[in-house]
Amino acid sequence: MARAIELSLDNVLSGRGGPFGAVVVKGGAIVAEGTNQVTSINDPTAHAEVLAIREACRKLGAFDLEGCEIYTSCEPCPMCLGAIYWARISRIYFGNADADASRIGFDDSLIYRELAQPHAQRKIPMIQMMRDEALVAFRAWERKPNKIEY
């Protein structure tokens, strides 16, 4: 956790991005690190946790990080939490709470409220279309004998 916090402070002081750092650990050793780089690389998905997960997967040669832990300087946002679950990371340790982040302008409450709304009533409306055509790929996946499950 100390390294994640150190990364978050270094990131602020360097001007590379927001006050967030994360490390992925396996067997007690750091596998990968990440810092928030949203503004420095113009990528809204470049959160510390996502970048650390990407690097850990690259280094380990796997898309499944089961058995790894993530230490993050702040409670993960909804996007990062989703990425952590998809990566199957075994445990999350975090420093600052989401309420702490909200107090300095990093407020995720809109996303949580939006998820509770029906698709068409969200701030960014979601409209389903061409479902039958889209299902063709899902059916092909179901029939594929040599697919890699994830």
Side-chain angles (χ1 to χ4, degrees):
M1 180 58 79
R3 180 62 181 151
I5 294 168
E6 179 183 6
L7 288 167
S8 70
L9 180 58
D10 288 349
N11 208 47
V12 171
L13 298 177
S14 72
R16 286 188 302 267
F20 304 98
V23 295
V24 174
V25 173
K26 184 170 188 170
I30 293 176
V31 175
E33 300 179 341
T35 58
N36 179 283
Q37 296 180 33
V38 170
T39 58
S40 60
I41 66 171
N42 295 317
D43 180 351
T45 68
H47 289 201
E49 298 91 337
V50 170
L51 296 181
I53 288 168
R54 289 176 184 165
E55 181 66 9
C57 289
R58 188 189 66 74
K59 283 185 175 177
L60 296 173
F63 57 81
D64 183 333
L65 298 178
E66 191 170 339
C68 292
E69 300 172 324
I70 191 164
Y71 293 78
T72 179
S73 63
C74 186
E75 186 173 350
C77 74
M79 177 184 68
C80 293
L81 189 59
I84 290 165
Y85 272 92
W86 278 112
R88 293 181 178 84
I89 290 176
S90 299
R91 183 165 287 131
I92 304 167
Y93 298 95
F94 65 94
N96 293 307
D98 64 345
D100 300 321
S102 179
R103 278 192 283 282
I104 63 165
F106 296 94
D107 187 2
D108 300 325
S109 62
L110 167 71
I111 297 169
Y112 289 111
R113 285 193 309 272
E114 287 288 296
L115 290 173
Q117 296 295 320
H119 290 147
Q121 294 177 12
R122 294 179 181 175
K123 185 174 181 166
I124 302 173
M126 294 178 61
I127 299 113
Q128 186 175 24
M129 59 184 292
M130 297 182 68
R131 180 173 181 260
D132 290 338
E133 293 83 352
L135 282 172
V136 172
F138 279 17
R139 290 185 189 113
W141 175 258
E142 285 179 315
R143 291 188 304 268
K144 185 176 173 71
N146 60 341
K147 62 187 165 210
I148 298 172
E149 301 275 353
Y150 63 97

Short mmCIF file of all heavy atoms in Angstrom, two decimals, residues 9-61:
data_model
loop_
_atom_site.label_atom_id
_atom_site.label_comp_id
_atom_site.label_asym_id
_atom_site.label_seq_id
_atom_site.Cartn_x
_atom_site.Cartn_y
_atom_site.Cartn_z
N LEU A 9 1.12 10.23 -4.98
CA LEU A 9 1.70 11.54 -4.67
C LEU A 9 2.68 11.97 -5.75
O LEU A 9 2.65 13.12 -6.22
CB LEU A 9 2.39 11.52 -3.30
CG LEU A 9 3.03 12.85 -2.87
CD1 LEU A 9 2.00 13.98 -2.84
CD2 LEU A 9 3.70 12.68 -1.51
N ASP A 10 3.53 11.06 -6.20
CA ASP A 10 4.48 11.38 -7.28
C ASP A 10 3.73 11.82 -8.54
O ASP A 10 4.19 12.71 -9.26
CB ASP A 10 5.35 10.16 -7.61
CG ASP A 10 6.38 9.85 -6.54
OD1 ASP A 10 6.58 10.68 -5.63
OD2 ASP A 10 6.97 8.75 -6.62
N ASN A 11 2.58 11.21 -8.80
CA ASN A 11 1.81 11.54 -9.99
C ASN A 11 1.30 12.97 -9.93
O ASN A 11 1.32 13.70 -10.92
CB ASN A 11 0.65 10.55 -10.15
CG ASN A 11 0.26 10.37 -11.59
OD1 ASN A 11 1.10 10.19 -12.46
ND2 ASN A 11 -1.03 10.42 -11.85
N VAL A 12 0.84 13.39 -8.75
CA VAL A 12 0.38 14.76 -8.57
C VAL A 12 1.54 15.73 -8.75
O VAL A 12 1.44 16.72 -9.49
CB VAL A 12 -0.28 14.95 -7.18
CG1 VAL A 12 -0.57 16.42 -6.91
CG2 VAL A 12 -1.54 14.13 -7.06
N LEU A 13 2.64 15.45 -8.06
CA LEU A 13 3.78 16.37 -8.06
C LEU A 13 4.42 16.49 -9.45
O LEU A 13 4.94 17.54 -9.82
CB LEU A 13 4.81 15.95 -7.02
CG LEU A 13 4.31 15.96 -5.57
CD1 LEU A 13 5.38 15.46 -4.62
CD2 LEU A 13 3.81 17.34 -5.16
N SER A 14 4.36 15.42 -10.24
CA SER A 14 4.95 15.43 -11.58
C SER A 14 4.04 16.09 -12.61
O SER A 14 4.49 16.43 -13.70
CB SER A 14 5.24 14.00 -12.04
OG SER A 14 4.02 13.33 -12.33
N GLY A 15 2.74 16.21 -12.28
CA GLY A 15 1.78 16.79 -13.22
C GLY A 15 1.28 15.82 -14.27
O GLY A 15 0.63 16.21 -15.23
N ARG A 16 1.56 14.52 -14.09
CA ARG A 16 1.14 13.53 -15.08
C ARG A 16 -0.34 13.17 -14.99
O ARG A 16 -0.89 12.63 -15.95
CB ARG A 16 1.98 12.26 -14.95
CG ARG A 16 3.40 12.39 -15.47
CD ARG A 16 4.13 11.06 -15.50
NE ARG A 16 4.18 10.44 -14.19
CZ ARG A 16 5.18 10.58 -13.32
NH1 ARG A 16 6.22 11.32 -13.63
NH2 ARG A 16 5.16 9.98 -12.15
N GLY A 17 -0.95 13.41 -13.84
CA GLY A 17 -2.37 13.03 -13.72
C GLY A 17 -2.87 13.18 -12.31
O GLY A 17 -2.23 13.83 -11.47
N GLY A 18 -4.02 12.57 -12.05
CA GLY A 18 -4.68 12.69 -10.76
C GLY A 18 -3.98 11.90 -9.66
O GLY A 18 -3.06 11.13 -9.91
N PRO A 19 -4.46 12.08 -8.43
CA PRO A 19 -3.81 11.52 -7.25
C PRO A 19 -4.14 10.05 -6.99
O PRO A 19 -4.69 9.69 -5.94
CB PRO A 19 -4.34 12.40 -6.13
CG PRO A 19 -5.72 12.77 -6.58
CD PRO A 19 -5.62 12.92 -8.08
N PHE A 20 -3.82 9.20 -7.97
CA PHE A 20 -4.17 7.80 -7.85
C PHE A 20 -3.00 6.92 -8.29
O PHE A 20 -2.39 7.17 -9.34
CB PHE A 20 -5.39 7.47 -8.71
CG PHE A 20 -6.58 8.33 -8.38
CD1 PHE A 20 -6.87 9.45 -9.15
CD2 PHE A 20 -7.38 8.05 -7.29
CE1 PHE A 20 -7.95 10.26 -8.86
CE2 PHE A 20 -8.47 8.87 -6.98
CZ PHE A 20 -8.76 9.97 -7.77
N GLY A 21 -2.72 5.90 -7.49
CA GLY A 21 -1.69 4.93 -7.81
C GLY A 21 -2.16 3.54 -7.45
O GLY A 21 -2.98 3.37 -6.54
N ALA A 22 -1.66 2.54 -8.16
CA ALA A 22 -2.06 1.15 -7.89
C ALA A 22 -0.90 0.21 -8.19
O ALA A 22 -0.10 0.48 -9.09
CB ALA A 22 -3.27 0.77 -8.73
N VAL A 23 -0.85 -0.88 -7.44
CA VAL A 23 0.12 -1.94 -7.72
C VAL A 23 -0.58 -3.29 -7.67
O VAL A 23 -1.47 -3.51 -6.85
CB VAL A 23 1.32 -1.93 -6.74
CG1 VAL A 23 2.15 -0.66 -6.90
CG2 VAL A 23 0.89 -2.09 -5.32
N VAL A 24 -0.19 -4.16 -8.59
CA VAL A 24 -0.67 -5.54 -8.59
C VAL A 24 0.44 -6.39 -8.01
O VAL A 24 1.61 -6.27 -8.41
CB VAL A 24 -1.05 -6.01 -10.00
CG1 VAL A 24 -1.42 -7.49 -10.01
CG2 VAL A 24 -2.22 -5.18 -10.56
N VAL A 25 0.08 -7.24 -7.06
CA VAL A 25 1.05 -8.06 -6.33
C VAL A 25 0.69 -9.53 -6.49
O VAL A 25 -0.49 -9.90 -6.44
CB VAL A 25 1.04 -7.67 -4.82
CG1 VAL A 25 1.90 -8.61 -4.00
CG2 VAL A 25 1.48 -6.22 -4.66
N LYS A 26 1.71 -10.35 -6.68
CA LYS A 26 1.50 -11.81 -6.71
C LYS A 26 2.60 -12.45 -5.88
O LYS A 26 3.79 -12.17 -6.09
CB LYS A 26 1.54 -12.33 -8.15
CG LYS A 26 1.24 -13.82 -8.22
CD LYS A 26 1.02 -14.29 -9.63
CE LYS A 26 0.53 -15.73 -9.58
NZ LYS A 26 0.09 -16.21 -10.86
N GLY A 27 2.22 -13.28 -4.95
CA GLY A 27 3.19 -13.96 -4.10
C GLY A 27 4.06 -13.00 -3.31
O GLY A 27 5.23 -13.28 -3.07
N GLY A 28 3.51 -11.87 -2.94
CA GLY A 28 4.25 -10.90 -2.14
C GLY A 28 5.16 -9.97 -2.92
O GLY A 28 5.80 -9.09 -2.34
N ALA A 29 5.22 -10.13 -4.25
CA ALA A 29 6.08 -9.28 -5.08
C ALA A 29 5.24 -8.42 -6.01
O ALA A 29 4.22 -8.88 -6.55
CB ALA A 29 7.03 -10.14 -5.91
N ILE A 30 5.66 -7.19 -6.21
CA ILE A 30 4.97 -6.30 -7.14
C ILE A 30 5.20 -6.80 -8.56
O ILE A 30 6.33 -6.97 -9.00
CB ILE A 30 5.45 -4.84 -6.99
CG1 ILE A 30 5.03 -4.29 -5.62
CG2 ILE A 30 4.90 -3.97 -8.11
CD1 ILE A 30 5.55 -2.88 -5.33
N VAL A 31 4.10 -7.01 -9.27
CA VAL A 31 4.14 -7.45 -10.66
C VAL A 31 4.04 -6.24 -11.59
O VAL A 31 4.68 -6.20 -12.63
CB VAL A 31 2.99 -8.44 -10.96
CG1 VAL A 31 2.93 -8.80 -12.42
CG2 VAL A 31 3.09 -9.69 -10.09
N ALA A 32 3.18 -5.28 -11.20
CA ALA A 32 2.95 -4.13 -12.07
C ALA A 32 2.49 -2.94 -11.25
O ALA A 32 1.93 -3.10 -10.17
CB ALA A 32 1.91 -4.47 -13.13
N GLU A 33 2.73 -1.76 -11.81
CA GLU A 33 2.31 -0.51 -11.19
C GLU A 33 1.54 0.32 -12.20
O GLU A 33 1.71 0.15 -13.40
CB GLU A 33 3.52 0.31 -10.73
CG GLU A 33 4.40 -0.39 -9.74
CD GLU A 33 5.61 0.44 -9.32
OE1 GLU A 33 5.97 1.41 -10.04
OE2 GLU A 33 6.19 0.10 -8.28
N GLY A 34 0.71 1.21 -11.70
CA GLY A 34 -0.01 2.13 -12.57
C GLY A 34 -0.32 3.42 -11.84
O GLY A 34 -0.46 3.42 -10.62
N THR A 35 -0.38 4.49 -12.59
CA THR A 35 -0.82 5.78 -12.06
C THR A 35 -1.87 6.35 -12.99
O THR A 35 -1.95 5.98 -14.17
CB THR A 35 0.35 6.78 -11.96
OG1 THR A 35 0.93 6.96 -13.25
CG2 THR A 35 1.40 6.32 -10.96
N ASN A 36 -2.67 7.25 -12.48
CA ASN A 36 -3.69 7.89 -13.28
C ASN A 36 -3.02 8.73 -14.37
O ASN A 36 -2.18 9.58 -14.07
CB ASN A 36 -4.56 8.77 -12.38
CG ASN A 36 -5.63 9.49 -13.16
OD1 ASN A 36 -5.35 10.47 -13.84
ND2 ASN A 36 -6.85 9.01 -13.08
N GLN A 37 -3.37 8.47 -15.62
CA GLN A 37 -2.79 9.20 -16.75
C GLN A 37 -3.85 9.74 -17.70
O GLN A 37 -3.59 9.99 -18.87
CB GLN A 37 -1.82 8.28 -17.51
CG GLN A 37 -0.63 7.86 -16.68
CD GLN A 37 0.31 6.96 -17.45
OE1 GLN A 37 0.47 7.08 -18.66
NE2 GLN A 37 0.94 6.05 -16.74
N VAL A 38 -5.05 9.92 -17.16
CA VAL A 38 -6.18 10.38 -17.98
C VAL A 38 -5.83 11.63 -18.78
O VAL A 38 -6.01 11.68 -20.00
CB VAL A 38 -7.43 10.62 -17.10
CG1 VAL A 38 -8.53 11.32 -17.88
CG2 VAL A 38 -7.94 9.29 -16.53
N THR A 39 -5.31 12.64 -18.11
CA THR A 39 -5.05 13.91 -18.79
C THR A 39 -3.74 13.93 -19.57
O THR A 39 -3.62 14.64 -20.55
CB THR A 39 -5.07 15.08 -17.79
OG1 THR A 39 -4.09 14.85 -16.76
CG2 THR A 39 -6.45 15.22 -17.14
N SER A 40 -2.77 13.14 -19.16
CA SER A 40 -1.47 13.17 -19.85
C SER A 40 -1.48 12.39 -21.15
O SER A 40 -0.72 12.71 -22.07
CB SER A 40 -0.35 12.69 -18.93
OG SER A 40 -0.58 11.37 -18.51
N ILE A 41 -2.35 11.37 -21.27
CA ILE A 41 -2.41 10.62 -22.54
C ILE A 41 -3.78 10.74 -23.21
O ILE A 41 -4.06 10.06 -24.19
CB ILE A 41 -1.99 9.14 -22.37
CG1 ILE A 41 -2.97 8.36 -21.50
CG2 ILE A 41 -0.58 9.03 -21.83
CD1 ILE A 41 -2.70 6.86 -21.48
N ASN A 42 -4.63 11.62 -22.65
CA ASN A 42 -5.96 11.88 -23.22
C ASN A 42 -6.77 10.59 -23.38
O ASN A 42 -7.30 10.29 -24.45
CB ASN A 42 -5.86 12.63 -24.54
CG ASN A 42 -5.29 14.00 -24.37
OD1 ASN A 42 -5.65 14.72 -23.44
ND2 ASN A 42 -4.37 14.39 -25.23
N ASP A 43 -6.85 9.83 -22.29
CA ASP A 43 -7.57 8.56 -22.29
C ASP A 43 -8.39 8.46 -21.02
O ASP A 43 -7.82 8.28 -19.93
CB ASP A 43 -6.57 7.40 -22.38
CG ASP A 43 -7.24 6.03 -22.40
OD1 ASP A 43 -8.47 5.93 -22.17
OD2 ASP A 43 -6.52 5.05 -22.61
N PRO A 44 -9.72 8.58 -21.09
CA PRO A 44 -10.53 8.54 -19.89
C PRO A 44 -10.51 7.19 -19.16
O PRO A 44 -10.94 7.10 -18.02
CB PRO A 44 -11.95 8.87 -20.39
CG PRO A 44 -11.92 8.52 -21.84
CD PRO A 44 -10.52 8.75 -22.31
N THR A 45 -9.98 6.15 -19.82
CA THR A 45 -9.88 4.85 -19.16
C THR A 45 -8.51 4.63 -18.52
O THR A 45 -8.27 3.57 -17.94
CB THR A 45 -10.15 3.69 -20.15
OG1 THR A 45 -9.09 3.62 -21.10
CG2 THR A 45 -11.48 3.87 -20.85
N ALA A 46 -7.63 5.60 -18.59
CA ALA A 46 -6.25 5.43 -18.10
C ALA A 46 -6.17 5.68 -16.59
O ALA A 46 -5.39 6.50 -16.12
CB ALA A 46 -5.30 6.35 -18.87
N HIS A 47 -6.98 4.95 -15.85
CA HIS A 47 -6.94 5.01 -14.39
C HIS A 47 -5.81 4.11 -13.90
O HIS A 47 -5.41 3.16 -14.57
CB HIS A 47 -8.27 4.54 -13.79
CG HIS A 47 -9.39 5.51 -14.01
ND1 HIS A 47 -10.52 5.50 -13.22
CD2 HIS A 47 -9.57 6.51 -14.91
CE1 HIS A 47 -11.34 6.44 -13.62
NE2 HIS A 47 -10.79 7.08 -14.66
N ALA A 48 -5.33 4.39 -12.70
CA ALA A 48 -4.20 3.65 -12.14
C ALA A 48 -4.45 2.14 -12.12
O ALA A 48 -3.58 1.35 -12.51
CB ALA A 48 -3.89 4.16 -10.73
N GLU A 49 -5.62 1.74 -11.66
CA GLU A 49 -5.92 0.32 -11.55
C GLU A 49 -5.94 -0.36 -12.91
O GLU A 49 -5.41 -1.45 -13.09
CB GLU A 49 -7.27 0.09 -10.84
CG GLU A 49 -7.32 0.60 -9.42
CD GLU A 49 -7.80 2.05 -9.29
OE1 GLU A 49 -7.70 2.82 -10.27
OE2 GLU A 49 -8.27 2.40 -8.20
N VAL A 50 -6.57 0.29 -13.90
CA VAL A 50 -6.67 -0.29 -15.24
C VAL A 50 -5.28 -0.44 -15.85
O VAL A 50 -4.95 -1.49 -16.43
CB VAL A 50 -7.58 0.57 -16.14
CG1 VAL A 50 -7.50 0.12 -17.59
CG2 VAL A 50 -9.03 0.51 -15.65
N LEU A 51 -4.44 0.58 -15.71
CA LEU A 51 -3.09 0.50 -16.27
C LEU A 51 -2.25 -0.56 -15.56
O LEU A 51 -1.47 -1.27 -16.21
CB LEU A 51 -2.42 1.87 -16.23
CG LEU A 51 -3.10 2.94 -17.10
CD1 LEU A 51 -2.36 4.26 -17.00
CD2 LEU A 51 -3.23 2.50 -18.54
N ALA A 52 -2.41 -0.68 -14.25
CA ALA A 52 -1.68 -1.71 -13.51
C ALA A 52 -2.15 -3.11 -13.93
O ALA A 52 -1.32 -4.02 -14.10
CB ALA A 52 -1.85 -1.51 -12.01
N ILE A 53 -3.44 -3.28 -14.13
CA ILE A 53 -3.97 -4.57 -14.58
C ILE A 53 -3.44 -4.91 -15.97
O ILE A 53 -3.01 -6.04 -16.23
CB ILE A 53 -5.52 -4.56 -14.56
CG1 ILE A 53 -6.02 -4.60 -13.11
CG2 ILE A 53 -6.10 -5.72 -15.36
CD1 ILE A 53 -7.50 -4.30 -12.96
N ARG A 54 -3.47 -3.94 -16.88
CA ARG A 54 -2.97 -4.18 -18.24
C ARG A 54 -1.50 -4.61 -18.21
O ARG A 54 -1.11 -5.56 -18.90
CB ARG A 54 -3.11 -2.91 -19.09
CG ARG A 54 -4.53 -2.58 -19.45
CD ARG A 54 -4.60 -1.26 -20.20
NE ARG A 54 -5.98 -0.88 -20.48
CZ ARG A 54 -6.35 0.33 -20.86
NH1 ARG A 54 -5.45 1.28 -21.03
NH2 ARG A 54 -7.62 0.58 -21.07
N GLU A 55 -0.70 -3.92 -17.41
CA GLU A 55 0.72 -4.25 -17.32
C GLU A 55 0.94 -5.62 -16.68
O GLU A 55 1.78 -6.40 -17.14
CB GLU A 55 1.47 -3.16 -16.55
CG GLU A 55 2.95 -3.38 -16.43
CD GLU A 55 3.71 -3.31 -17.75
OE1 GLU A 55 3.13 -2.93 -18.79
OE2 GLU A 55 4.90 -3.68 -17.75
N ALA A 56 0.17 -5.93 -15.63
CA ALA A 56 0.30 -7.24 -14.98
C ALA A 56 -0.06 -8.36 -15.96
O ALA A 56 0.64 -9.38 -16.02
CB ALA A 56 -0.58 -7.30 -13.74
N CYS A 57 -1.11 -8.18 -16.71
CA CYS A 57 -1.50 -9.20 -17.70
C CYS A 57 -0.42 -9.38 -18.75
O CYS A 57 -0.11 -10.50 -19.15
CB CYS A 57 -2.83 -8.82 -18.35
SG CYS A 57 -4.25 -8.97 -17.26
N ARG A 58 0.15 -8.27 -19.20
CA ARG A 58 1.23 -8.34 -20.20
C ARG A 58 2.43 -9.10 -19.64
O ARG A 58 2.95 -10.02 -20.27
CB ARG A 58 1.64 -6.93 -20.63
CG ARG A 58 2.61 -6.93 -21.81
CD ARG A 58 3.18 -5.54 -22.09
NE ARG A 58 4.03 -5.05 -21.02
CZ ARG A 58 5.27 -5.47 -20.76
NH1 ARG A 58 5.80 -6.44 -21.49
NH2 ARG A 58 5.99 -4.96 -19.79
N LYS A 59 2.83 -8.74 -18.42
CA LYS A 59 4.02 -9.38 -17.82
C LYS A 59 3.79 -10.85 -17.52
O LYS A 59 4.70 -11.66 -17.68
CB LYS A 59 4.42 -8.65 -16.54
CG LYS A 59 5.14 -7.35 -16.79
CD LYS A 59 5.61 -6.75 -15.48
CE LYS A 59 6.45 -5.52 -15.73
NZ LYS A 59 6.85 -4.87 -14.46
N LEU A 60 2.59 -11.19 -17.06
CA LEU A 60 2.31 -12.58 -16.70
C LEU A 60 1.84 -13.40 -17.90
O LEU A 60 1.70 -14.63 -17.78
CB LEU A 60 1.27 -12.62 -15.57
CG LEU A 60 1.71 -12.01 -14.25
CD1 LEU A 60 0.55 -11.96 -13.26
CD2 LEU A 60 2.90 -12.77 -13.66
N GLY A 61 1.55 -12.74 -19.00
CA GLY A 61 1.09 -13.46 -20.19
C GLY A 61 -0.25 -14.13 -19.98
O GLY A 61 -0.47 -15.23 -20.47
#
